[in-house]
Amino acid sequence: MKKLLNTLYVTSQGTYLSKDGECVVIRAENGQKKRFPVHVLDGIVCFGNVLCSPFLLGHCGEKGLALSFMTERGRYLAGVRGPQSGNVLLRREQYRQADDPVASADIARSVIAGKVVNSRAVLRRCLRDHGDRVDAGMLERAVCTLDECARRLQTPVSLDEARGMEGQAAGAYFAVFGQMVLQDEEAFSFDGRNRRPPLDAVNCLLSFVYTLLAHDVRSALEAVGLDPQVGFLHRDRPGRPGLALDVMEEFRSFMADRLVLSLINRGEVRARGFVTKESGAVFMDDDTRKTVLTAWQKRKQDEAMHPFLRERIPLGLAFHVQAQLIARSIRGDLDGYPPYYWK
Amino acid sequence: MLVLVSYDVSFENPDGKRRLQKIAKICENYGQRVQYSVFECVVDPAQWAQLRHRLLDAYDEEVDSLRFYFLGKNWQRRVEQHGAGEAYDPETDVLIL
């Protein structure tokens, strides 16, 4: 079984990463120097002005480390991959199925079913824990809508119908999402998703955590030899990791959304940790970003029962397991793609 | 698993310094230096076989000594740190710089 390895996040500006033997050496502007052996890591994420030597890039490619560059705010800029590896036959089959509307609809349906069921579980968890502090009627109505969607997704649907279900479910879910913010409701008010740029603190947190999730899912897909660009639910668009977005859907609500909610509700992020620019865009400061990164890393170490494997695994490994499962269903070794249902 | 590697390299013959550097280099590639000639290496069995092989290749069995301590998978409970020096846990620490 694969081991959950650590991810290195570099947020200090002006740092230089280089390779020395089998190690990453990190030199900060103030002369501080740190080193980590490459084999304890499975990815490096650089924020803002961070430089990497070409030899380090090559070494990461060779060892299968995912290396991503983001802006300081967490928008994805570029990723570096080594020589293309993995199974070309699997990738070809992936492309064939992505071109086939029936096969695509099947995988898209599983992915959305996973998303809907997990979103519903998040709402139900909130009702159970804080039923007295939220508008229970509204939340219950949203749960009903999601139930309805989940039921309709049990039988085969066309790709467009599947997308319609997703839209309906997401609409119902985000309509009540703001209800689940229980701390400092004024500063963390939420009415609907917005991004590029995010216009409030909650959207800012959500977008940031989604990019972290995307990095991890993408590297898991690459590790099993799939092409993260070619999705089934998300159609091809240059520069968009379609398949990574597909697989992310299942994880968004319980990994990312709940993380954001608990950071706010436990008071770990505060209103003063956010800056509003003249354009209306909201950004977080360095300390808040570190808090979020720490929480994300900890979240990945939480263990849960995998619904398909029936084995307890860290959530961070669940990305890799789902990547394996989707590869197997593309190969035809499984009858369908079993999404990750969170309990 | 965690393996603690410690070594003593003799400087009696002129070759000693080079051996010392070589051994230090090998250890650095697999773990972190926690004291001058003590390294903590978190490795899987295959990596350990590699590391051990390289070390045994580099030392001089007549005059140097190598000691390996196997602290297993749940090593976190078995290590205490006091005083100067800062070590990280490569498995669970959040690596943000």
Side-chain angles (χ1 to χ4, degrees), chain B residues 20-64:
Chain B
L20 179 76
Q21 275 169 358
K22 190 160 180 204
I23 289 172
K25 194 102 211 158
I26 295 168
C27 290
E28 269 188 338
N29 284 340
Y30 287 87
Q32 62 174 325
R33 179 173 239 140
V34 287
Q35 280 173 359
Y36 272 117
S37 37
V38 180
F39 280 84
E40 283 182 11
C41 306
V42 175
V43 285
D44 63 26
Q47 287 162 344
W48 167 242
Q50 251 177 15
L51 170 58
R52 181 168 176 276
H53 178 77
R54 287 190 191 174
L55 287 172
L56 294 182
D57 230 26
Y59 90 128
D60 179 350
E61 63 176 320
E62 300 293 319
V63 283
D64 304 339

Side-chain angles (χ1 to χ4, degrees), chain A residues 20-258:
Chain A
D20 179 29
E22 307 263 316
C23 296
V24 198
V25 177
I26 300 141
R27 285 193 189 81
E29 263 187 336
N30 56 21
Q32 207 194 10
K33 200 167 131 184
K34 280 221 162 104
R35 60 189 308 142
F36 299 105
V38 163
H39 75 258
V40 302
L41 302 173
D42 76 351
I44 302 178
V45 187
C46 306
F47 293 91
N49 180 24
V50 174
L51 296 171
C52 291
S53 81
F55 303 105
L56 176 66
L57 300 180
H59 192 66
C60 288
E62 194 185 318
K63 297 281 169 193
L65 257 74
L67 191 60
S68 293
F69 291 93
M70 316 268 187
T71 63
E72 234 184 305
R73 323 265 182 232
R75 187 165 57 82
Y76 180 80
L77 291 173
V80 176
R81 261 177 294 171
Q84 186 68 266
S85 61
N87 190 336
V88 67
L89 300 174
L90 171 65
R91 269 201 298 281
R92 261 187 187 281
E93 187 56 33
Q94 180 190 354
Y95 300 149
R96 253 178 243 129
Q97 293 197 9
D99 286 336
D100 174 6
V102 180
S104 301
D106 234 24
I107 294 182
R109 179 166 71 98
S110 297
V111 167
I112 298 170
K115 177 183 188 172
V116 171
V117 170
N118 292 337
S119 309
R120 178 179 170 277
V122 168
L123 295 181
R124 301 253 330 197
R125 178 73 66 103
C126 176
L127 271 171
R128 189 193 74 189
D129 292 347
H130 311 287
D132 45 339
R133 294 171 67 191
V134 295
D135 185 342
M138 252 174 95
L139 249 60
E140 266 158 20
R141 272 197 300 283
V143 170
C144 283
T145 316
L146 294 180
D147 268 342
E148 173 68 23
C149 289
R151 212 178 52 242
R152 279 166 64 189
L153 285 165
Q154 277 170 4
T155 48
V157 289
S158 75
L159 203 50
D160 281 332
E161 279 175 297
R163 286 212 184 90
M165 292 287 114
E166 192 210 355
Q168 199 185 340
Y173 173 71
F174 278 117
V176 295
F177 190 78
Q179 289 284 323
M180 292 191 276
V181 176
L182 305 167
Q183 184 83 27
D184 202 356
E185 286 155 54
E186 215 167 289
F188 293 106
S189 69
F190 178 87
D191 38 56
R193 271 290 282 153
N194 53 57
R195 63 221 172 93
R196 287 186 221 161
L199 300 176
D200 56 61
V202 179
N203 273 298
C204 171
L205 286 167
L206 284 175
S207 291
F208 187 70
V209 180
Y210 288 159
T211 41
L212 298 179
L213 177 60
H215 165 91
D216 289 340
V217 170
R218 186 194 160 108
S219 59
L221 291 169
E222 277 169 4
V224 297
L226 288 163
D227 185 340
Q229 304 264 345
V230 180
F232 300 100
L233 170 65
H234 293 84
R235 295 280 93 183
D236 299 356
R237 196 196 289 161
R240 180 162 81 166
L243 186 60
L245 293 172
D246 284 1
V247 176
M248 262 175 77
E249 294 293 358
E250 306 155 34
F251 292 102
R252 278 178 203 262
S253 52
F254 71 96
M255 291 260 333
D257 301 353
R258 260 177 63 85

